[in-house]
Amino acid sequence: QQQVKQSPQSLIVQKGGISIINCAYENTAFDYFPWYQQFPGKGPALLIAIRPDVSEKKEGRFTISFNKSAKQFSLHIMDSQPGDSATYFCAAQATYNTDKLIFGTGTRLQVFP
Amino acid sequence: EAGVTQSPTHLIKTRGQQATLRCSPISGHTSVYWYQQALGLGLQFLLWYDEGEERNRGNFPPRFSGRQFPNYSSELNVNALELEDSALYLCASSLELRPPYNEQFFGPGTRLTVL
């Protein structure tokens, strides 16, 4: 019940295309859903996050879509660029238990020019 | 503002030895978290320290331990190293215990290799 399932494991997109990464969870106590971006040799960096009181959040080319009833959320990267090539992790947290983030297994995105 | 720093960058040990990894949080952050990032397994929560106290630990054996110092820096110790301990160990810090200020900022990690 603590798991966050992430797919796909890897994704290849052409420059200008849309990248979509999906995550699903079981624990209905989760109420904070961040996405992290990790470049090789670097630690993960917070990209965008959402709370379940909204169904969508957009920041620039990055959008989170959230479906509370289906217990799913996804990251959409519009107009994907080669510089977006990185590993993306979804995560979930129950903020009554503010310590640990539960991470998905990651998606390696490659954007080709 | 300096980010989370970790040392060493790389650490090579042999099976049975002990490893010590260090983390300095962002100035003003009181919470420090440790995660293990093994290949293909994502990030697994290890330990959480706040105000010098261990608040929670993940599903790891007792040979994984640590502490937080009065200046909020932290140390992760791994005793009796096993081959499967080879991973990237990430430290994160956060400003406040309570949401919505619980964004975790990650350091670059320490790559531990056990031979």
Side-chain angles (χ1 to χ4, degrees), chain A residues 36 38 41-44 46 51 89 93 95 97-101 103-105, chain B residues 33 35 37 42-43 45 48 56 88 90 97 99-100 102-104 106-108:
Chain A
Y36 281 83
Q38 185 178 29
K42 303 283 188 182
L46 180 66
R51 295 190 184 272
F89 293 94
Q93 184 180 43
T95 51
N97 187 22
T98 57
D99 52 354
K100 55 191 168 193
L101 286 165
F103 283 88
T105 50
Chain B
Y33 312 82
Y35 293 85
Q37 186 175 19
L43 285 80
F45 169 74
W48 168 38
N56 205 348
L88 181 68
L90 290 160
L97 184 62
N102 54 345
E103 178 184 344
Q104 296 183 20
F106 284 82

Side-chain angles (χ1 to χ4, degrees), chain B residues 20-71:
Chain B
T20 299
L21 290 64
R22 296 181 176 83
C23 171
S24 291
I26 292 172
S27 177
H29 286 194
T30 61
S31 277
V32 170
Y33 312 82
W34 287 96
Y35 293 85
Q36 182 194 65
Q37 186 175 19
L39 200 61
L41 291 179
L43 285 80
Q44 305 292 318
F45 169 74
L46 259 168
L47 289 159
W48 168 38
Y49 292 95
D50 182 69
E51 297 283 359
E53 300 283 333
E54 181 180 303
R55 301 295 184 181
N56 205 348
R57 64 180 295 127
N59 189 24
F60 282 84
R63 55 191 188 82
F64 287 83
S65 65
R67 53 181 171 166
Q68 186 178 33
F69 300 98
N71 67 353

